[in-house]
Amino acid sequence: MFTPPPTNGVVPSVPFVYLDSAASSQTPESVLAAMDAYYRECRSNVHRGMYAVSEEATKRYEDARAKVAAFINADSDEVVFTRGTTESLNLLARSLGGLLGPGDEVLLSAMEHHANLIPWQQIAKQRGYSLKFIPLDSEGLLDMAAAEKLITPRTKIVSVIHASNALGSIVPVKELFALAKKVGATTVLDAAQSVGHILVDVRDIDCDFMAAGAHKMYGPTGIGLLYGKRQRLETLEPMLFGGDMVIEVKRDDATFTDVPWRFEAGTQNIAGAIGFGAACDFITGIGLDNIRAHERELAGYAIEQLLATGVIVHGTKNVDKRVGAISFTLPGVHVHDMATILAREGVCIRGGHHCVMPLMRDMGLPGTSRASLGMYSTKEEIDALIRAVTKAKQIFS
Amino acid sequence: MEDELYKENIMDHYKHPRNAGVMAGATFSRRELNASCGDELEFFVLLDEAGKVSKVSFNGQGCAISQSATSMLTEKVEGMTIDELKKLLPEDVFTMLGVPVDTTRIRCALLGFKALKGGLEVYLQK
């Protein structure tokens, strides 16, 4: 079902142990086939052509939208295709932040990825609203008591990460957003690390908006989604303008088309969207429950084995409250050195600040080493990780 | 598996860095930051009346590659003239390390070099 690189690319004899799915996942054959089929069977633009091939391309593109929508329990016209989570969050920050002013507050968590921090931060400079941050508890979980105090009538937007890419913590967003709703705040969910790992049901969570990407859930790069409740999308200002999102254009003004196409200016990543739909089929075919059960158990094993080597494992050890992104540090071994030594053993992890510099600063660390699981990760691969970490420890002892 | 990059002399310089410490009264110094990891380093140079490097030190924290490369660099530049400092190239750092450096670690290996050259450039402009 997958054909990942057979070797680690550095030394031909060393096998490829990919523990960096939180950075990007491997791509199943079915997803590659769906994208390839677009290019070979119905290569044309969508929504415009009056010939069969264009109609076929349009059908596949819109079917993909329906699949993605069903995957998150939304309606098709509530799903906008974007370049990825980051673009979706930028659009929201511009459009929603653009309506705020001095005295208003946007509430984030202390563990936001730069994609859900910097856009809000930069628009705040223009609009004059304040950013507030919900702290974490000693386990790296969101401090819900603190959250309750921070949500006040001044809070206009609550935008949080669903699953931390650095600590793995799952945020109880349904409960958090219920608190936000009481003060009439708009709720935004950054689901980049949760889709494909745990259930993300936008109706159940009842978020106003959600952003996610395909490439961390076995889909291609360069495509993602913005979900918004229909009435919220209706009043959202587009960020990108051009062809395909207009009804009538004069020289001095234009009228925009319906939601969601209003937010899809220009030719989209058609193959990417089709691949995204195929990735949803792939996950549904295996069963998200099964994926979650597998990753949960493997995360438990990985944490236990890592602790046995003497490294510090960050975040909660409770596998019910976390996903399989596992950060660890070994005092005396810089994260870059750990990553390089592991790479030479064929083990691919990530070392650095993981685009959560403020969180790293809070933790007093320049960065961490992070091993992250995908549905294809195995116990043998964790064992290879442990052997490599042990070797790194020996080199630096 | 034989790991060249972490061979003995590099680990030796990492564990026992030469010329480590802040230098008061340096002729020039410069701080550099490795954006990809947050490692930082300050490089200090004292020139004598003849314009030769009489004292050199570095202060900072970071990975084995950045620390050992900088430590080796301080030993290399001791006694150099300004002209020789100007002629130093990144290739000289790699030759000095004696092992191939992964593309992703080049920034680490050159952090001290970057600080030295940056400080020198500012000094020469005065």
Side-chain angles (χ1 to χ4, degrees), chain B residues 29-102:
Chain B
S29 71
R30 185 165 171 96
R31 196 176 148 265
E32 278 296 334
L33 189 66
N34 185 339
S36 64
C37 66
D39 281 357
E40 59 176 291
L41 188 151
E42 194 165 4
F43 204 94
F44 304 86
V45 171
L46 182 70
L47 298 173
D48 63 20
E49 304 85 32
K52 275 179 148 190
V53 178
S54 65
K55 212 172 148 209
V56 57
S57 77
F58 78 101
N59 186 50
Q61 51 175 347
C63 62
I65 307 304
S66 71
Q67 299 303 289
S68 60
T70 309
S71 168
M72 289 183 206
L73 187 64
T74 62
E75 289 191 319
K76 187 180 172 67
V77 303
E78 257 164 354
M80 274 191 177
T81 62
I82 291 178
D83 241 22
E84 287 173 313
L85 288 179
K86 279 163 91 175
K87 291 203 179 92
L88 270 178
L89 294 171
E91 288 72 19
D92 301 322
V93 174
F94 302 134
T95 308
M96 180 187 76
L97 277 168
V99 288
V101 176
D102 300 13

Side-chain angles (χ1 to χ4, degrees), chain A residues 100-364:
Chain A
L100 304 182
D104 292 332
E105 289 174 6
V106 169
L107 185 61
L108 310 171
S109 82
M111 57 182 173
E112 296 307 327
H113 184 280
H114 295 166
N116 196 30
L117 166 61
I118 300 172
W120 302 108
Q121 177 198 91
Q122 296 300 310
I123 305 292
K125 289 182 185 180
Q126 296 169 16
R127 300 294 311 170
Y129 59 80
S130 317
L131 290 184
K132 293 269 188 283
F133 300 90
I134 307 168
L136 310 177
D137 66 18
S138 57
E139 272 192 276
L141 300 170
L142 199 78
D143 185 339
M144 288 298 283
E148 240 181 301
K149 294 206 185 78
L150 284 163
I151 295 175
T152 72
R154 282 188 306 280
T155 312
K156 299 294 176 239
I157 297 171
V158 177
S159 181
V160 289
I161 194 165
H162 196 180
S164 167
N165 66 310
L167 298 173
S169 329
I170 298 173
V171 174
V173 284
K174 188 173 172 178
E175 288 81 356
L176 181 68
F177 288 164
L179 296 173
K181 243 171 266 307
K182 286 196 189 141
V183 299
T186 299
T187 53
V188 176
L189 183 65
D190 169 4
Q193 291 285 342
S194 53
V195 286
H197 295 286
I198 60 174
L199 182 63
V200 181
D201 179 335
V202 295
R203 297 259 187 271
D204 183 54
I205 294 168
D206 202 22
C207 48
D208 293 312
F209 296 99
M210 184 270 265
H215 74 98
K216 295 189 212 275
M217 54 168 270
Y218 320 109
T221 55
I223 190 83
L225 74 98
L226 168 66
Y227 157 80
K229 290 181 179 175
R230 193 174 301 101
Q231 58 283 41
R232 297 308 308 254
L233 283 181
E234 294 285 354
T235 56
L236 200 66
E237 177 84 5
M239 180 168 73
L240 299 170
F241 303 90
D244 284 340
M245 49 80 70
V246 284
I247 298 175
E248 193 187 3
V249 181
K250 302 206 184 98
R251 283 223 153 74
D252 59 354
D253 204 357
T255 51
F256 303 138
T257 192
D258 296 332
V259 153
W261 303 281
R262 186 186 305 168
F263 302 98
E264 295 180 7
T267 300
Q268 296 300 298
N269 182 353
I270 299 167
I274 291 168
F276 196 179
C280 293
D281 284 344
F282 173 76
I283 291 170
T284 309
I286 289 171
L288 188 59
D289 285 351
N290 294 325
I291 293 176
R292 172 59 179 156
H294 170 69
E295 289 183 3
R296 207 176 136 279
E297 191 186 327
L298 201 57
Y301 178 68
I303 290 171
E304 169 201 283
Q305 292 296 306
L306 280 168
L307 288 170
T309 67
V311 305
I312 299 167
V313 175
H314 300 277
T316 183
K317 318 291 182 284
N318 181 341
V319 291
D320 289 324
K321 296 193 176 176
R322 64 172 304 148
V323 294
I326 304 164
S327 269
F328 62 93
T329 48
L330 183 55
V333 184
H334 191 279
V335 296
H336 277 184
D337 295 321
M338 179 68 80
T340 301
I341 292 168
L342 261 49
R344 277 163 160 66
E345 303 298 309
V347 178
C348 306
I349 63 159
R350 189 143 294 237
H353 54 67
H354 310 298
C355 298
V356 284
M357 277 191 195
L359 175 66
M360 291 293 134
R361 208 169 284 118
D362 288 350
M363 289 166 69

